[in-house]
Amino acid sequence: MDALLAAGLVLALIFLFLGLGVWIFVGLLAVSGLSLALLAGMDISRIGTIAANIVYRYSTTWELAAIPMFIWMGEIIFRTDISDRIFRGLTPFVNWLPGRLLHTNVLGCTMFAAVSGSSAATAATVGKITTTELSRRGYDQSLSLGSLAGAGSFGLLIPPSIVMIVYGILAEVSISRLFAAGVLPGIMIAALFSGYIAFRAVLKPGIAPKAEARFKPLELIGAIIDLLPIITLMVIVLGAIYSGIATPSEAAAVGVFGAIVITICLRQFSVAMLVRTLLGAVVSSAMICSILIAAAFLSTAMGYLHIPSEIARTIGEWQLSPSMLIVVLTLFYLVLGLFLDGVSIIVMSLPITLPLAMQAGIDPVWFGIFLIVTVELGQITPPVGFNLFILQSLTGQSVGRVARYAFPFFLLMLGAIALLVWFPEIALWLPSTLYD
């Protein structure tokens, strides 16, 4: 069967199962098995052997151990008063900026993303305190919710990122290099967000109330103390990775230990809390790992049908420049982001898009950062924008209204993609400096 026709049939099967509301990993397994049976003519025993080999290979992948560890660390921090401490600690340092406390959304999400690895956890943890506080103090709601929706997605880009680990495993790219590549783009997007808030505040000072009284030196010291737990955890985890002392998986385990020690020091540790965080981590990890295994099975099925190579060859015949290819892929991922979450987008599309990128001479580390930024866009686009749902539950605002508030930050992230295309060293300089 023609590979492109087979690709259309596989895609139709995927949308059929997703439309039926089947769990994603079950749907991917079913599509893979049916594709091999109906389109490749394989018998059940051979399909079973292929599936068993994939399950064994991914179940014994050491890099995969980082996922449950980072999720557990995020769960522990989520159940402490770290978000309150971040807000109090950042307040004196942003009070002099145009827009004042609106910047706590951006900086708070940036800091929490560096220990969470999850977009949803970042938006929920920071949002549970800033949405209430900023509203109570009279800050502009559109900028407050819009900046939080956009900055909440930093959990995908700023290391340690669960989605980055997923990409590294599937693309067979060094996770440490990916983590390093995400740092400067994450800081760049945070700077774009804060710059936009400041610009809006200069044009329309009424979006933020008048500055509060100057903070005294002792209050500044207290603010630094409030930030110490999150900064300590960032230094422990990222320092261990970038210094070469530990692999990402080992650093994740160290991070869990550090998070437990911090909760003990804050006198917020309990056995009940530890059990709840462990159960939450198990559920989330099982979901992600099962999707990864199912996606690997789908990738293998598509390989047997020669779908990735044929699509890569067809698009290659269009003779697109690398820049035009990026434009096409950006549009493709924007459409996927309307319906799917980040992990699902990556695992289902990568067998097709990565060969295209490699064929065009695009660095796989750079492509991973580009892909993650486009996935971030899906977090704030309806109808399936998870950050929008989180803010709806926190504030009672409709998803459509929150999406309108987030639209300027959506455009800023598109601008960030353009900057990454024009200046690829934004993503590639740090990993090349650290590891070459």
Side-chain angles (χ1 to χ4, degrees):
M1 178 178 291
D2 181 79
L4 296 180
L5 175 60
L9 293 174
V10 171
L11 188 62
L13 283 173
I14 290 174
F15 280 108
L16 173 64
F17 280 99
L18 290 178
L20 292 173
V22 177
W23 287 344
I24 291 176
F25 85 93
V26 174
L28 293 180
L29 288 174
V31 170
S32 305
L34 287 172
S35 299
L36 290 175
L38 300 178
L39 303 180
M42 291 188 184
D43 56 47
I44 294 178
S45 62
R46 188 179 178 192
I47 294 173
T49 301
I50 293 172
N53 289 336
I54 290 171
V55 171
Y56 176 78
R57 184 169 74 249
Y58 276 81
S59 299
T60 55
T61 299
W62 170 241
E63 289 81 6
L64 211 57
I67 292 178
M69 289 290 102
F70 279 127
I71 292 175
W72 192 12
M73 182 175 68
E75 287 279 341
I76 293 171
I77 296 301
F78 179 72
R79 286 172 168 80
T80 67
D81 67 349
I82 291 290
S83 59
D84 302 74
R85 291 173 178 270
I86 291 175
F87 184 82
R88 292 198 307 265
L90 289 175
T91 295
F93 298 102
V94 301
N95 200 49
W96 59 274
L97 293 171
R100 287 179 282 280
L101 297 189
L102 287 169
H103 296 279
T104 58
N105 276 337
V106 178
L107 297 179
C109 287
T110 302
M111 297 182 74
F112 191 83
V115 297
S116 166
S118 164
S119 170
T122 299
T125 304
V126 176
K128 71 181 181 181
I129 179 66
T130 61
T131 52
T132 302
E133 286 294 324
L134 294 179
S135 175
R136 182 177 65 83
R137 300 183 190 209
Y139 282 84
D140 180 79
Q141 186 181 60
S142 64
L143 269 181
S144 173
L145 297 186
S147 61
L148 180 60
S153 64
F154 291 170
L156 300 180
L157 178 62
I158 295 176
S161 162
I162 304 301
V163 172
M164 209 174 274
I165 296 171
V166 170
Y167 174 84
I169 293 171
L170 292 177
E172 298 182 356
V173 174
S174 166
I175 294 172
S176 296
R177 293 182 72 93
L178 282 170
F179 279 5
V183 172
L184 292 183
I187 293 173
M188 176 187 70
I189 296 175
L192 288 174
F193 283 10
S194 280
Y196 173 74
I197 291 171
F199 177 72
R200 284 284 304 275
V202 169
L203 290 181
K204 189 179 178 182
I207 66 172
K210 292 182 178 180
E212 300 172 8
R214 286 184 176 274
F215 288 85
K216 299 175 182 178
L218 285 179
E219 292 174 315
L220 292 175
I221 294 173
I224 294 172
I225 292 173
D226 278 330
L227 293 174
L228 272 181
I230 195 79
I231 293 174
T232 300
L233 204 53
M234 289 168 58
V235 170
I236 290 173
V237 175
L238 300 181
I241 295 172
Y242 297 146
S243 66
I245 296 174
T247 66
S249 298
E250 293 165 344
V254 173
V256 170
F257 177 76
I260 292 174
V261 171
I262 286 172
T263 59
I264 293 173
C265 293
L266 296 176
R267 299 182 180 180
Q268 298 176 27
F269 178 84
S270 70
V271 175
M273 183 273 285
L274 190 65
V275 171
R276 286 196 302 272
T277 60
L278 187 56
L279 288 175
V282 168
V283 171
S284 298
S285 302
M287 176 192 69
I288 292 174
C289 292
S290 62
I291 291 176
L292 267 176
I293 292 171
F297 190 22
L298 179 62
S299 300
T300 302
M302 295 175 74
Y304 275 108
L305 296 171
H306 308 291
I307 290 174
S309 58
E310 277 300 306
I311 291 179
R313 183 184 63 78
T314 301
I315 295 181
E317 291 173 353
W318 297 350
Q319 297 183 338
L320 296 176
S321 66
S323 297
M324 282 304 301
L325 177 62
I326 290 300
V327 171
V328 171
L329 292 180
T330 300
L331 295 174
F332 171 67
Y333 280 117
L334 285 177
V335 173
L336 289 183
L338 297 175
F339 307 102
L340 299 172
D341 66 279
V343 173
S344 301
I345 290 173
I346 289 177
V347 297
M348 292 198 320
S349 68
L350 203 61
I352 295 174
T353 57
L354 184 60
L356 292 175
M358 299 289 286
Q359 182 175 300
I362 296 173
D363 187 287
V365 173
W366 183 94
F367 184 73
I369 301 304
F370 156 78
L371 177 53
I372 290 166
V373 176
T374 59
V375 167
E376 282 186 326
L377 291 170
Q379 301 295 303
I380 55 175
T381 53
V384 188
F386 287 94
N387 286 6
L388 305 181
F389 294 144
I390 289 169
L391 293 186
Q392 179 193 39
S393 65
L394 287 174
T395 65
Q397 298 289 336
S398 68
V399 169
R401 176 168 292 183
V402 178
R404 288 198 303 274
Y405 294 161
F407 185 66
F409 299 91
F410 174 90
L411 295 178
L412 287 171
M413 280 197 274
L414 284 179
I417 292 175
L419 288 173
L420 285 171
V421 172
W422 292 330
F423 307 104
E425 288 304 309
I426 295 173
L428 298 177
W429 176 78
L430 188 58
S432 63
T433 300
L434 292 176
Y435 300 111
D436 287 347

